[in-house]
Amino acid sequence: MDDDTDNHPEGHDHAVVLGAGMTGLLAARVLARRFARVTLVERDELAETGPAFRPGVPQSRHVHVLWSRGVELIEGMLPGITARLVVAGAAVLESPGDFLWLSPADWFDQVPGAKILVGSRELLDWTVRQEVLRDERIRLRAGSPATGLVTGADGRSVTGVELRDGGRLAAALVVDATGRTSKAPAWLAAIGNPAPAVTRYDSRLGYSSRYYEMPKDPTRRWQGLYVQGRPDSPRGAVLVPLDGGRWLVTLIGNGEHVPPTGDEEFLGFARSLRSPVLYDAIRDAKPLSSPTAFRSTANEWRHFERLDRWPAGFVVLGDASCRFNPVYGHGMTVAALAADALDEELGGLELREIPGAARRIQRKTAAAAEVAWQIATSEDMRYPWTEGPPPDLATRVLQQYMSRVMVGANADPAISAPFFDVLSLSTAPEALLSPGTVVRVLSKWRLPTAPATTDYPAHHGPPESADPVA
Ligand SMILES: Cc1cc2nc3c(=O)[nH]c(=O)nc-3n(C[C@H](O)[C@H](O)[C@H](O)COP(=O)(O)OP(=O)(O)OC[C@H]3O[C@@H](n4cnc5c(N)ncnc54)[C@H](O)[C@@H]3O)c2cc1C
């Protein structure tokens, strides 16, 4: 039996991170600035040869975009990583500039927005993992599921973790970053702590995704496509370029409109979108896979940060604490924001003070989820079948206002800039409530919130191959 407790009785200079997903990797990176040793405990066996799918991150087969705020934060933690990702085939795109993007209101014009990084999730994880593990203070223990918490003599402070193989790791701080399947509530209950309150909004959104070979077409004037659904037409899709000359296409639908996984049905769904742009792109493209579904997309916040009783030495981060409807593309950026908040909290503490500061760290890192949560839940509440607490008056007013912001952002640079600053989590939502922005938004109050024609955006026009209008 491997038992680090014997080797390091106190574990005082050792932190353990459970889960080597994006949250766990970034948390390990910042913990290594304070602890002499950090162990990343991962349930999956991890390939050492290059990017690879693994069962612990099943969402990797669906489109993942990293908003500019996430890119900046991760670059700050791992200098040079953006360039390495781009060399390996990821791309940093202008959003909406490099896309044909039909919002719930209308097509985005060539307005200023935000940068996003696109690439396969496997490549992103692999590259971040390689960079994180360059730090010799960080050790990876893969193929080793954590099964519970170990407590100290008081029976309440967390002083380590138990592993399925019977091993134990002693640590001054244990970070649970095991994602949506985290057992933290049960582990906390087992050491006498109350369960967290849970807030949940489920718009019953489903994904279905398929890889394609990117057709060679020198005349193509876009890099990606995004057709958003809306409550009266809840079908959408996104297409992004990936490393290896591939496209990844994710179909999106709510309620009865969840997208299918049959080959023909996949194309049929693409054809039924508000614009033919995506169907036109893929109908003759060569599929590289069958479609894969993902259905568990509810927003769910386990409010560990609200608990009055909280053990020393334990923190829950990332999807394990708060997860979002993925359609807004915020989970990885929130993981980076939480790691950044963790870094800031640790910076103000002596090493010996860190275990006792766990409750404060939990509160501060949880705050990283607030804006993404507000965006995702207020948008999901527009769908009448969304399960969750009903919108209050303030949310309904905000929804009305945001509909007009969207109309403005489609074509007005003065509105698109703050809109994308907020959407990329770079700026607080108050930016959309500055007097100048409010006046511009209100000046567009009479414009329709749905476009008259949706086929192709005016700045692009129909493709050369389209049938001439009769
Ligand atoms: C369909 C879909 C699409 C998404 N698209 C986007 C997007 O476009 N942009 C974006 O920013 N975010 C997106 N997200 C969210 C994003 O995937 C997550 O927020 C992000 O991966 C951070 O998750 P995490 O590291 O907290 O958890 P996870 O990614 O779930 O990682 C958890 C890790 O813990 C490991 N683990 C689990 N249990 C144990 C255990 N007992 N012991 C040890 N290890 C364990 C798992 O194997 C895994 O490696 C999407 C999510 C979904 C579901």
Side-chain angles (χ1 to χ4, degrees):
M1 183 172 91
D2 185 354
D3 192 338
D4 271 16
T5 320
D6 294 339
N7 301 334
H8 311 287
E10 304 292 332
H12 74 282
D13 59 354
H14 183 213
V16 168
V17 179
L18 308 178
M22 191 57 70
T23 304
L25 290 167
L26 299 177
R29 170 67 180 164
V30 304
L31 286 166
R33 292 178 176 158
R34 298 307 313 279
F35 288 89
R37 297 172 302 124
V38 178
T39 305
L40 257 170
V41 173
E42 168 55 46
R43 181 177 58 188
D44 281 353
E45 296 290 353
L46 299 178
E48 287 176 10
T49 47
F53 176 82
R54 62 190 181 87
V57 188
Q59 68 267 35
S60 72
R61 289 195 167 129
H62 304 272
V63 165
H64 271 72
V65 303
L66 181 63
W67 282 105
S68 48
R69 180 73 176 130
V71 177
E72 284 160 19
L73 285 168
I74 296 175
E75 179 67 31
M77 293 172 201
L78 302 165
I81 191 156
T82 314
R84 274 188 271 281
L85 281 161
V86 169
V87 166
V92 178
L93 302 182
E94 291 293 336
S95 168
D98 288 327
F99 284 75
L100 301 188
W101 181 337
L102 178 60
S103 83
D106 206 338
W107 289 100
F108 273 103
D109 215 333
Q110 292 290 305
V111 287
K115 291 198 188 309
I116 54 168
L117 188 140
V118 295
S120 68
R121 177 62 201 267
E122 290 87 356
L123 174 68
L124 195 53
D125 280 17
W126 161 260
T127 312
V128 170
R129 197 162 79 229
Q130 295 301 103
E131 292 304 307
V132 166
L133 293 178
R134 269 175 201 270
D135 187 332
E136 56 193 24
R137 287 165 295 192
I138 303 175
R139 195 177 61 150
L140 175 65
R141 191 161 168 154
S144 184
T147 52
L149 302 172
V150 174
T151 53
D154 62 2
R156 293 175 59 175
S157 310
V158 173
T159 56
V161 287
E162 287 176 351
L163 306 178
R164 181 169 296 164
D165 62 12
R168 285 180 164 205
L169 298 174
L173 187 67
V174 173
V175 174
D176 178 359
T178 56
R180 58 189 56 225
T181 61
S182 162
K183 301 283 185 294
W187 291 351
L188 285 166
I191 59 169
N193 288 280
V198 177
T199 314
R200 194 169 195 276
Y201 289 90
D202 189 355
S203 69
R204 295 196 278 125
L205 176 127
Y207 271 19
S208 185
S209 301
R210 190 172 201 191
Y211 297 93
Y212 287 87
E213 191 175 290
M214 189 191 301
K216 292 195 180 14
D217 178 3
T219 65
R220 190 182 304 121
R221 284 175 285 144
W222 47 263
Q223 303 268 356
L225 303 172
Y226 190 14
V227 178
Q228 286 185 268
R230 33 183 289 144
D232 59 4
S233 177
R235 293 183 172 208
V238 57
L239 177 158
V240 295
L242 294 189
D243 31 286
R246 296 173 294 163
W247 276 341
L248 180 54
V249 175
T250 291
L251 305 180
I252 304 159
N254 295 74
E256 296 166 2
H257 297 269
V258 289
T261 51
D263 293 359
E264 285 306 313
E265 292 81 357
F266 192 90
L267 268 184
F269 188 100
R271 195 174 198 164
S272 72
L273 299 175
R274 293 167 59 217
S275 155
V277 57
L278 192 128
Y279 173 74
D280 288 348
I282 63 172
R283 66 182 168 188
D284 296 323
K286 181 179 167 198
L288 299 174
S289 71
S290 294
T292 317
F294 199 100
R295 301 288 188 243
S296 170
T297 59
N299 303 283
E300 188 171 279
W301 195 333
R302 296 163 166 181
H303 295 287
F304 297 110
E305 77 287 356
R306 289 187 191 161
L307 290 173
D308 290 335
R309 240 174 79 190
W310 187 255
F314 186 58
V315 171
V316 187
L317 294 184
D319 283 16
S321 148
C322 184
R323 63 186 170 108
F324 313 92
N325 177 341
V327 79
Y328 308 100
H330 283 148
M332 296 188 296
T333 296
V334 172
L337 285 165
D340 190 50
L342 174 66
D343 195 30
E344 196 172 321
E345 286 307 301
L346 295 179
L349 296 167
E350 299 290 333
L351 195 59
R352 62 185 161 73
E353 295 172 325
I354 292 175
R359 183 158 175 251
R360 200 179 83 206
I361 295 173
Q362 188 64 45
R363 283 205 311 268
K364 295 284 184 182
T365 51
E370 268 165 18
V371 175
W373 178 262
Q374 202 183 328
I375 292 173
T377 57
S378 62
E379 286 303 308
D380 278 3
M381 278 187 247
R382 291 179 190 272
Y383 291 81
W385 52 79
T386 295
E387 294 159 17
D392 56 16
L393 181 62
T395 305
R396 290 201 302 272
V397 171
L398 187 71
Q399 287 172 335
Q400 287 289 326
Y401 180 72
M402 286 308 296
S403 296
R404 305 297 158 165
V405 168
M406 182 58 84
V407 172
N410 283 157
D412 183 345
I415 301 176
S416 77
F419 172 77
F420 278 98
D421 282 350
V422 173
L423 190 60
S424 61
L425 304 181
S426 300
T427 303
E430 287 71 32
L432 289 168
L433 297 174
S434 73
T437 307
V438 170
V439 167
R440 281 193 95 95
V441 170
L442 294 183
S443 74
K444 297 174 196 317
W445 206 260
R446 287 175 180 282
L447 291 179
T449 54
T453 171
T454 58
D455 275 7
Y456 274 79
H459 67 77
H460 183 277
E464 283 160 20
S465 59
D467 295 336
V469 179

